[in-house]
Amino acid sequence: MFEFLRGKRKPDKAPEPGEPARPTARAPEDDPTVMRPGREVGYSAELIPRLQADHQALFKSFDGMVDAFGRRDFERVKAGARQLKSMLQDHLMLENIKLYVYLRQNLSHEAQEYQLVTAFRKEMDGIGREAMAFLDKYQQLAEQPELVDSFESEARRVRQIVHDRMSREEATLYQLYQASY
């Protein structure tokens, strides 16, 4: 009964015909975040220009939201926060799947660069959560006027954090994205 505790567990048998497959602890085969032989992310010459264009569009959208706040157009702030959140989610997903996975799979033999990529990804996860929390909070600005007092200072802080990060990303991380590994 407890053979698995003694390391003598028998292999699971295949399900009988018509019986549903048993769940496994492994990720589904279509999970793009799990690296498997033959499932590498390829190089794309358009990726870095696309990510840089995203950065510009994100800042333009963010600044438009702040301008709407300055005009006290809180409905426009709400719409801007919703739009910006969608844009940011798309950008982060593209970066996670196409950039970070590619760099990690191609720099696995370069310990220092691999650690740098891993640190950037971990940092971006935290910054992304912080930016999303800001956008979620201020989507409620029209319905929660008490948020008016904190908007400008939080917006400046979040914009600066994101700007600093994106500048470092473009200067350091994007330089590692090469076709010849």
Side-chain angles (χ1 to χ4, degrees), residues 126-181:
I127 292 170
R129 280 191 298 277
E130 189 171 347
M132 292 297 180
F134 169 82
L135 295 169
D136 286 341
K137 179 178 180 178
Y138 290 103
Q139 283 185 45
Q140 309 305 315
L141 188 63
E143 294 83 18
Q144 298 179 15
E146 66 274 10
L147 295 175
V148 169
D149 294 337
S150 60
F151 179 85
E152 286 182 294
S153 64
E154 283 195 50
R156 272 194 305 275
R157 184 183 63 76
V158 168
R159 190 186 195 289
Q160 189 63 51
I161 290 169
V162 172
H163 180 270
D164 290 350
R165 166 50 200 249
M166 287 181 177
S167 295
R168 285 185 294 116
E169 192 174 82
E170 290 180 4
T172 305
L173 195 62
Y174 289 4
Q175 305 308 312
L176 295 174
Y177 188 78
Q178 303 288 324
S180 56
Y181 281 108

Side-chain angles (χ1 to χ4, degrees), residues 79-107:
R82 193 176 323 111
Q83 175 191 18
L84 186 56
K85 182 178 179 180
S86 176
M87 291 169 64
L88 184 58
Q89 286 171 327
D90 290 348
H91 176 77
L92 293 174
M93 184 174 294
L94 179 64
E95 219 171 48
N96 276 325
I97 301 299
K98 298 291 186 176
L99 178 68
Y100 288 113
V101 171
Y102 177 84
L103 288 174
R104 289 184 70 184
Q105 77 189 16
N106 287 289
L107 294 173

Side-chain angles (χ1 to χ4, degrees), residues 2 5 7 14 18 31 33 37 52-53 57 72 91 98 112 114 117-118 125 128-129 142 151 157:
F2 294 104
L5 291 175
D31 184 347
T33 64
Q52 290 171 324
R72 298 298 195 240
H91 176 77
K98 298 291 186 176
Q112 189 173 5
Y114 186 86
V117 170
T118 300
D125 288 345
R129 280 191 298 277
F151 179 85
R157 184 183 63 76

Side-chain angles (χ1 to χ4, degrees), residues 7-77:
K8 297 179 182 177
R9 182 176 184 172
K10 296 176 184 171
D12 291 337
K13 63 178 185 171
E16 297 295 324
E19 183 181 321
R22 292 180 192 93
T24 65
R26 290 182 294 162
E29 290 300 314
D30 61 347
D31 184 347
T33 64
V34 175
M35 292 307 302
R36 292 187 185 83
R39 293 247 356 242
E40 281 103 25
V41 173
Y43 176 81
S44 169
E46 294 84 29
L47 180 63
I48 298 302
R50 161 81 189 276
L51 293 173
Q52 290 171 324
D54 283 358
H55 290 174
Q56 297 304 312
L58 287 163
F59 284 120
K60 183 177 180 180
S61 182
F62 190 93
D63 292 343
M65 182 181 65
V66 171
D67 289 345
F69 177 83
R71 294 188 311 273
R72 298 298 195 240
D73 184 351
F74 299 144
E75 286 298 325
R76 185 68 205 129
V77 171

